[in-house]
Amino acid sequence: MKELNLAEVLVGKRREKGITQDELAAHVGVSKASVSKWENGNSYPDITLLPVLATYFDISIDRLMNYSPQLSEEEITKTHAQLAANFASEPFEAVIAECEALVKKYYSCYPFLLYIVLLYINHAPMAESPARKGRILQSAIGLCKRVINNCRDANAVREATIYQAVCHLSIGESQEVLALLGEGAESPPLSGDSIIIQAHQMLGNTEKAIEVAQVDLYQALLELFEGLLAYIQLNLGNFEAAQTAFERAESLSELFHIRHLNANGVAILYFLGAHLYQAAGKSDETINMLGKYVDVCIHGFFPFAARGDSFFDRIDDWLDKNIKNRPMPRNEIVVKESMLNDVLLNPAFDSLHGSPAFADLIQKLRTFIGGN
């Protein structure tokens, strides 16, 4: 991290231009002795002379003072690590004072302020009293508010919001947490649901805490499952990688009964499995996958709706607000026809048309959609 060092800059710029102290003094209108004191760090120019000096050397006043209100990512990381180490080896209040001085110096460097907030959150418990801990966390809240109100980086604002909620929670201000993050899981989540859950617990709202926890788990589960589906598709040309992802997705599906929660996702899983094994020349496994695909399509796919189950038994209100009322992208007839055509007309499965087992699956789908 750079320190203010006008003396170093003056010496360097004067020598770069090839001028003497006398020449610089004459231009500025001071004595050579004054310039000498500036360059030795024994005194500083009058504030009114800073623009004159900066203009003479064709640099900004910030550059003249060797000052920047912003720190590089590397400087922020290095300073954070040093301050964290100082908390372990130096008096607590001395390190807090050092943090406060740096905050004043880099008050508009919002990423740095967030690092200071993290230091306060992690080390405030070391304070000599609960009251002192509270004051430190209030300072952290103030820094979070500054980032939220002034920073244009959406990620930084989101991070500051979560940190502020953590600070409120740490000093027992549960209502402030809920006012900041909301009382339930958001869609998309703000990544602060665990804090909301703890706030409800502190307020004695156990039922609400369970509801938020279930919604959080439900969203995370389906996101993980959909991520595995995407990973299988990406690796269809790499049998081992795709098979491993498939097996894990299928295990997850069976463990959490995802077929009931998201039948479409499980149908896609088995359809991808059929492609995987067909590409590997494993006809029996392909038929097995298509059989599971057909079974999902026929049993439990319709009516197409988001739902909970005996485990996710507190999410109905959230589903009503966020999922259930969304219109189906295609009507039921079109979806059913697509189920058949994706198998019957898919060139990937042409080699199976002589198989009685494959013909039986096709007939099951035809009967299901009302065809012949």
Side-chain angles (χ1 to χ4, degrees):
M1 184 184 298
K2 295 179 180 178
E3 298 294 335
L4 293 179
N5 196 339
L6 180 141
E8 180 181 318
V9 176
L10 274 182
V11 172
K13 286 297 179 181
R14 182 174 60 77
R15 290 175 177 171
E16 182 182 303
K17 282 186 170 289
I19 62 173
T20 65
Q21 288 183 342
D22 282 319
E23 289 173 311
L24 178 58
H27 178 82
V28 177
V30 297
S31 66
K32 176 186 176 183
S34 294
V35 173
S36 179
K37 288 179 180 179
W38 298 343
E39 293 188 352
N40 290 327
N42 295 325
S43 67
Y44 292 95
D46 185 275
I47 192 171
T48 60
L49 296 178
L50 294 180
V52 178
L53 288 165
T55 302
Y56 184 71
F57 291 118
D58 196 22
I59 58 176
S60 67
I61 293 178
D62 282 350
R63 178 67 186 90
L64 177 68
M65 302 296 293
N66 197 34
Y67 169 72
S68 171
Q70 300 297 318
L71 294 170
S72 68
E73 184 176 343
E74 181 180 355
E75 289 172 326
I76 292 173
T77 303
K78 182 178 179 181
T79 303
H80 176 265
Q82 184 59 59
L83 289 170
N86 290 349
F87 272 112
S89 61
E90 298 181 11
F92 178 79
E93 290 298 338
V95 185
I96 290 292
E98 186 179 2
C99 291
E100 291 172 344
L102 289 170
V103 164
K104 290 180 180 179
K105 187 175 181 181
Y106 298 103
Y107 202 43
S108 63
C109 185
Y110 302 120
F112 179 68
L113 296 187
L114 289 176
Y115 270 84
I116 293 295
V117 169
L118 271 180
L119 286 170
Y120 284 175
I121 290 173
N122 292 328
H123 296 92
M126 297 170 59
E128 61 182 4
S129 68
R132 179 57 176 144
K133 171 188 172 182
R135 289 195 296 273
I136 292 170
L137 290 175
Q138 287 292 352
S139 295
I141 289 172
L143 295 178
C144 289
K145 289 180 177 178
R146 175 166 175 77
V147 175
I148 293 168
N149 293 332
N150 297 281
C151 184
R152 297 181 180 179
D153 184 333
N155 290 328
V157 170
R158 186 178 300 109
E159 193 173 353
T161 303
I162 296 299
Y163 290 168
Q164 183 179 339
V166 170
C167 292
H168 285 304
L169 191 69
S170 297
I171 55 182
E173 296 177 345
S174 302
Q175 290 289 5
E176 283 77 1
V177 173
L178 301 181
L180 191 65
L181 300 182
E183 296 193 1
E186 302 297 329
S187 179
L190 184 63
S191 302
D193 289 349
S194 63
I195 305 170
I196 296 173
I197 292 167
Q198 293 177 65
H200 280 303
Q201 282 183 296
M202 290 179 68
L203 291 169
N205 301 333
T206 304
E207 290 301 311
K208 187 63 178 178
I210 292 173
E211 176 191 329
V212 176
Q214 283 199 14
V215 170
D216 197 37
L217 286 169
Y218 176 85
Q219 292 185 95
L221 172 64
L222 294 190
E223 184 176 353
L224 173 60
F225 185 71
E226 290 169 6
L228 285 168
L229 295 181
Y231 193 76
I232 295 168
Q233 189 161 14
L234 282 171
N235 285 280
L236 285 177
N238 181 343
F239 180 79
E240 289 187 4
Q243 183 185 42
T244 298
F246 174 86
E247 290 173 349
R248 296 190 181 193
E250 186 175 39
S251 296
L252 187 68
S253 173
E254 293 172 354
L255 181 63
F256 281 96
H257 307 292
I258 295 179
R259 175 169 171 170
H260 178 79
L261 302 174
N262 182 4
N264 184 60
V266 177
I268 292 172
L269 171 68
Y270 289 125
F271 189 65
L272 288 172
H275 275 279
L276 172 66
Y277 287 110
Q278 180 70 355
K282 299 177 181 290
S283 298
D284 290 343
E285 288 88 343
T286 302
I287 294 291
N288 181 42
M289 290 295 105
L290 288 174
K292 291 182 177 182
Y293 169 79
V294 169
D295 185 63
V296 173
C297 291
I298 294 175
H299 302 107
F301 195 98
F302 297 104
F304 189 83
R307 56 180 76 95
D309 61 7
S310 59
F311 181 80
F312 293 108
D313 60 352
R314 311 289 180 89
I315 67 172
D316 284 345
D317 288 344
W318 180 85
L319 288 174
D320 285 339
K321 294 177 183 177
N322 295 278
I323 305 293
K324 286 183 178 178
N325 293 328
R326 294 178 184 174
M328 192 173 177
R330 297 181 293 174
N331 66 44
E332 185 172 322
I333 294 175
V334 173
V335 172
K336 287 181 176 179
E337 290 178 348
S338 176
M339 290 175 176
L340 177 61
N341 293 335
D342 284 348
V343 176
L344 181 62
L345 302 180
N346 196 312
F349 304 124
D350 282 351
S351 64
L352 300 176
H353 280 277
S355 165
F358 183 73
D360 181 57
L361 292 176
I362 296 298
Q363 186 56 47
K364 285 182 178 180
L365 278 176
R366 288 188 185 280
T367 302
F368 174 60
I369 66 173
N372 296 314

